[in-house]
Amino acid sequence: MRVLLVDDDQKLLELLSAYFLKNGFAVLEATNGPDALELAQREAPDLIVLDLMLPGLDGWEVCRRLRKTSDVPILMLTARDEEADRLIGLELGADDYVTKPFSPREVVARAKAILRRSRREMPAENELRQGPLVMLMEQHRVLLHGKELELTPTEYKLLETLAAKPGRVFSRLQLVEQVQGYAFEGYERTVDAHIKNLRRKLGEEQQLVQTVYGVGYKWSSEAE
């Protein structure tokens, strides 16, 4: 598995690189936004660990441009403690974030969790059909009215969790646990950003993902 590490702090980059190498990853490195984009397009890494504060192009812009052509998993690194700043990155298509200061072990663990979601074992059923939606599990594809949707691994897992049990209400914390693989209360609000992205991609069918105010979300049990 190849990971692209993007940070302008050379010492931090070397530290993260050492931990990823120790855990069996091949590592690519970039210290600015333009180089990160060029490497991502040329080398097609399996995962990108992306700092937000970068010279040339900041992490938000790098993420936005990547999402135009790629669904590569993205883990953001941010020194900002404002929730709004983190949610911007998630709304642009990042899968998860880690706030500095952090343990390199945590970054590697989060990276592995994202990759498990994007390359999980094949389920017993190869198709999930709900109304106009078809999820082809073996191919990790989603079709809506026959047209393929481009989803990030987090969006895919969130959609699968909801659509597999129409009518069931999931709290934000339950969705975090299902999608991220852990349940930390501080990450509940990130679900709203992913739901917003998912609804945008569902377009005219966005009502299939319903808000249960004060609780969480559910897939419409009336989908036909």
Side-chain angles (χ1 to χ4, degrees), residues 78-124:
T78 173
R80 294 170 177 258
D81 198 32
E82 293 293 328
E83 183 180 51
D85 290 326
R86 299 195 296 271
L87 293 181
I88 289 172
L90 294 174
E91 289 177 0
L92 288 172
D95 294 278
D96 200 359
Y97 68 86
V98 180
T99 303
K100 297 178 181 179
F102 50 71
S103 161
R105 291 186 180 88
E106 180 185 8
V107 177
V108 173
R110 295 285 188 85
K112 288 181 176 179
I114 292 174
L115 288 170
R116 281 196 299 271
R117 296 198 300 274
S118 62
R119 290 174 172 80
R120 67 197 187 291
E121 293 181 3
M122 189 190 309

Side-chain angles (χ1 to χ4, degrees), residues 61-185:
E61 181 63 16
V62 171
C63 185
R64 186 184 69 81
R65 295 191 187 187
L66 284 170
R67 281 293 173 255
K68 288 183 177 181
T69 58
S70 172
D71 61 356
V72 60
I74 297 174
L75 174 62
M76 296 187 308
L77 304 180
T78 173
R80 294 170 177 258
D81 198 32
E82 293 293 328
E83 183 180 51
D85 290 326
R86 299 195 296 271
L87 293 181
I88 289 172
L90 294 174
E91 289 177 0
L92 288 172
D95 294 278
D96 200 359
Y97 68 86
V98 180
T99 303
K100 297 178 181 179
F102 50 71
S103 161
R105 291 186 180 88
E106 180 185 8
V107 177
V108 173
R110 295 285 188 85
K112 288 181 176 179
I114 292 174
L115 288 170
R116 281 196 299 271
R117 296 198 300 274
S118 62
R119 290 174 172 80
R120 67 197 187 291
E121 293 181 3
M122 189 190 309
E125 297 295 331
N126 291 332
E127 282 191 9
L128 172 62
R129 291 179 177 267
Q130 292 292 354
L133 182 89
V134 178
M135 300 189 74
L136 304 174
M137 305 301 196
E138 183 176 350
Q139 302 172 41
H140 211 266
R141 297 171 61 204
V142 179
L143 304 177
L144 184 65
H145 293 297
K147 182 179 180 180
E148 187 159 0
L149 300 183
E150 296 294 335
L151 303 181
T152 68
T154 298
E155 292 162 1
Y156 183 96
K157 185 61 178 176
L158 188 61
L159 179 62
E160 180 187 28
T161 299
L162 292 169
K165 297 184 178 179
R168 173 179 169 176
V169 179
F170 289 87
S171 70
R172 290 181 176 87
L173 194 59
Q174 286 174 324
L175 288 172
V176 168
E177 186 171 15
Q178 288 289 322
V179 173
Q180 307 286 30
Y182 45 82
F184 296 147
E185 291 186 5

